[in-house]
Amino acid sequence: MPEERKIDGKDIGFIVGGAIVGAIAGYMIKKIGIKNIINLLKAKDIISPTIANLINEFTTKEKSEE
């Protein structure tokens, strides 16, 4: 028989910590802007220019009206 897994404080800590990190990242992206972040990552060679261009293409593409 499979044992039931009980949720303890460590699991709740991971969930709350992940939510806090996600909220901080979302706030920073909203304040700084995705284009500025991508330009910084491209300038520091953290991501390759081709990937940065691909991300820019998807973020600047406007939704077509159907």
Side-chain angles (χ1 to χ4, degrees):
M1 289 182 10
E3 295 180 26
E4 283 190 36
R5 176 160 162 82
K6 295 183 180 180
I7 297 176
D8 58 352
K10 189 175 182 180
D11 294 334
I12 294 172
F14 280 123
I15 293 169
V16 171
I20 291 171
V21 169
I24 292 171
Y27 176 77
M28 290 178 64
I29 289 174
K30 183 179 177 185
K31 284 293 184 183
I32 297 172
I34 191 73
K35 289 182 182 180
N36 292 334
I37 293 172
I38 291 175
N39 288 336
L40 175 70
L41 293 175
K42 190 173 16 173
K44 298 285 184 179
D45 288 332
I46 295 174
I47 59 173
S48 68
T50 56
I51 294 174
N53 291 336
L54 184 64
I55 293 171
N56 280 336
E57 181 181 333
F58 281 112
T59 56
T60 58
K61 195 181 271 188
E62 294 185 19
K63 293 182 181 178
S64 62
E65 294 185 26
E66 294 179 12

